[in-house]
Amino acid sequence: MNSPVTGGPLSGLRVLELAAIGPVPFACMLLADLGAEVVRVDRPGVPRAFGTWHRVLDRGRRSVALDLKDPAAVEALLRLVEGADILVEGYRPGVCERLGIGPDVCLARNPRLVYGRMTGWGQQGPLAQAPGHDINYLALSGALHAMGRAGGPPVVPLNLLGDFAGGGLPLAFGVLAAVEERHRSGLGQVVDAAIVDGTAALLGMLAGMTAAGEWRPERGVNLLDGGAPFYDVYLCADGRYVAVGALEDRFYAALLDGLGLAPDEVPDRTDRAGWPVLRARLAACFLTRSRDGWAAAFEGTEACVTPVLTLEEAVEHPHHRARGCTTVRPTESSGPRRYRDSGAWRGRGCRVRRGCWVRLGWRARRGCWRCRPRRVWRVRLGWRVRGGCWVRVGWRVRWACRVWGAVSRSGRSSRRAAACRRSPARPGTASDRSAPAHSCGGWHSAGPDRRR
């Protein structure tokens, strides 16, 4: 019999994340979902660009505010580096070096540190210092040119391809590979992840098809870009769409059978010259029913026909609900906010993590409410959990003001800690919601990041 899971596979791995956008928080979200202890370092008093977009990507970690232009804050960060396994930053090349927190400095303080760097163009090259976003990196890599309808302009694939698939995933994979190598060498290393490099790796199969003469440079005329009528989306009677992916022969036969078409009634699908006629026949058939009607008709078949769902519809789909990959959780908005959740940390034990504030109506961020609801009673209104000891909200014990015990206690942090002890805050009060994090490295913030 399998023993219950008490932590993710990365439990015990300590990650420092210098706050950024796009691929950096995505990569750190994956690490946190797998059990790593991630601490995000924010700039005090400066709202992060597109910060509200990253509420889901920021899940699973605590945050501390450090002004890295202040030498004292730089020293505080370097003390954190001494106890960290991974540091991840997404600044332009040379910024960390100018701040005094570059790879050479950090590896001198902690030779086992894995230093992950995330940029769009890479640390070297003619464009290394140029600004850019997902669409620019895709354009230069050749990926953007390949997507779109025949005769039309390239189609932007959101930022899923560059930021996340070509940036965040290689970053997370690279730093974990470096951690694995550290077990043999005993030393850390620098991981240079660039979106243009990751996207180039994703284009490997397309490059192979081009070299073999099976992919033409024109958009919308190839097997996987919507050019093939049996691999495309079709409009239905209600104005919504279905996706068709009947590449293999038996799947294509099931598609024709579901549409009521005989093989001899349509052109041979291996003849590209007949694709326009075949597409017209399929399009006419799909216009005879609604999207959900076709979804019901093809359910349980091998036709590879699925409805094209909106994000709201996808959250409610029975398959996603059965797998637990979507979650509805309360927020401070007027109603429930739905978002994607990998679910990788479900069942990660029943321990309430340090620094997690508990309020009436909220459950422990990484507690046991999903895996063992019967133990939620341990989280009590107005209390914090320290190991097995109950500590009142607004009070601090010495360890609670530390990040991995790495930051020394300055006079300023001591005064602020004393102020917290003199003025206990009740859950839900203004002081509980908005107490700012400060640059001494102490965890005096009860901001919304630790209450979602």
Side-chain angles (χ1 to χ4, degrees):
M1 188 173 94
N2 294 331
S3 59
V5 177
T6 59
L10 300 183
S11 179
L13 195 70
R14 293 171 171 175
V15 181
L16 275 177
E17 172 195 355
L18 303 188
I21 62 174
V24 168
F26 176 72
C28 291
M29 178 194 74
L30 298 178
L31 299 178
D33 283 350
L34 292 174
E37 183 179 358
V38 182
V39 173
R40 187 180 71 250
V41 179
D42 289 315
R43 296 174 59 189
V46 179
R48 184 160 47 132
F50 316 118
T52 56
W53 300 2
H54 291 81
R55 287 182 62 88
V56 177
L57 300 185
D58 287 343
R59 71 170 181 251
R61 60 261 211 192
R62 298 174 292 173
S63 64
V64 61
L66 291 174
D67 182 6
L68 296 179
K69 295 181 180 180
D70 182 354
V74 170
E75 178 60 25
L77 179 66
L78 293 177
R79 288 181 178 273
L80 295 179
V81 165
E82 293 174 359
D85 297 294
I86 298 172
L87 183 145
V88 177
E89 59 94 359
Y91 299 143
R92 287 196 199 181
V95 171
C96 284
E97 285 80 355
R98 291 194 296 272
L99 291 173
I101 54 173
D104 293 341
V105 175
C106 290
L107 288 171
R109 299 289 286 262
N110 180 1
R112 293 177 56 83
L113 180 72
V114 174
Y115 196 105
R117 318 196 78 171
M118 182 76 252
T119 58
W121 305 113
Q123 296 294 318
Q124 298 85 29
L127 294 177
Q129 294 295 334
H133 281 293
D134 186 284
I135 190 172
N136 307 115
Y137 311 134
L138 296 185
L140 206 67
S141 69
L144 188 60
H145 179 273
M147 291 175 282
R149 290 293 181 182
V155 174
V156 181
L158 305 179
N159 67 329
L160 303 179
L161 180 56
D163 277 350
F164 301 139
L169 281 175
L171 174 61
F173 181 79
V175 296
L176 291 180
V179 170
E180 175 62 25
E181 192 278 336
R182 188 180 65 183
H183 295 323
R184 297 189 294 273
S185 68
L187 297 174
Q189 58 182 286
V190 178
V191 176
D192 176 8
I195 295 178
V196 289
D197 299 343
T199 305
L202 296 174
L203 290 171
M205 188 184 78
L206 188 61
M209 295 175 70
T210 301
E214 298 179 2
W215 190 274
R216 294 161 57 184
E218 298 88 359
R219 284 183 294 275
V221 297
N222 299 287
L223 181 65
L224 301 176
D225 63 356
F230 44 86
Y231 196 85
D232 203 355
V233 294
Y234 288 93
L235 180 67
C236 300
D238 58 354
R240 295 185 287 183
Y241 292 86
V242 293
V244 176
L247 289 176
E248 290 79 6
D249 288 339
R250 75 175 190 274
F251 300 159
Y252 180 69
L255 171 65
L256 295 183
D257 182 64
L259 294 174
L261 296 173
D264 56 359
E265 294 178 344
V266 295
D268 182 4
R269 73 177 188 137
T270 61
D271 181 12
R272 287 177 177 260
W275 279 6
V277 177
L278 177 57
R279 186 186 305 278
R281 292 296 305 273
L282 297 182
C285 289
F286 280 114
L287 280 173
T288 60
R289 294 189 194 180
S290 67
R291 182 200 67 179
D292 294 342
W294 283 117
F298 283 105
E299 186 175 0
T301 72
E302 291 188 326
C304 298
V305 176
T306 53
V308 178
L309 303 178
T310 65
L311 287 176
E312 287 293 322
E313 291 173 324
V315 169
E316 302 297 337
H317 192 274
H319 182 76
H320 299 315
R321 294 179 69 87
R323 291 188 55 79
C325 64
T326 58
T327 304
V328 179
R329 296 176 63 178
T331 69
E332 295 177 357
S333 63
S334 58
R337 177 176 298 172
R338 294 177 170 86
Y339 62 86
R340 297 275 172 174
D341 184 356
S342 72
W345 52 270
R346 285 178 300 150
R348 188 190 289 174
C350 295
R351 179 174 66 89
V352 180
R353 298 190 68 170
R354 294 181 300 180
C356 184
W357 285 84
V358 181
R359 294 178 51 205
L360 181 62
W362 294 83
R363 286 170 175 169
R365 183 184 184 188
R366 286 181 180 270
C368 54
W369 64 277
R370 298 181 73 174
C371 59
R372 295 179 182 175
R374 65 182 180 274
R375 296 190 62 183
V376 176
W377 64 268
R378 294 193 61 198
V379 182
R380 296 184 180 179
L381 173 64
W383 299 85
R384 292 184 65 185
V385 178
R386 173 190 180 260
C389 301
W390 299 102
V391 183
R392 288 186 61 85
V393 171
W395 291 74
R396 300 292 190 278
V397 292
R398 180 167 184 172
W399 77 269
C401 296
R402 299 292 180 270
V403 183
W404 308 325
V407 180
S408 62
R409 192 169 193 169
S410 65
R412 178 169 57 176
S413 66
S414 298
R415 289 193 299 271
R416 295 198 180 193
C420 288
R421 288 192 293 269
R422 287 193 301 268
S423 303
R426 294 188 303 275
T429 62
S431 59
D432 182 39
R433 289 192 298 270
S434 59
H438 57 80
S439 61
C440 74
W443 293 101
H444 293 284
S445 173
D449 280 351
R450 296 204 292 281
R451 298 202 315 270
R452 286 198 304 273

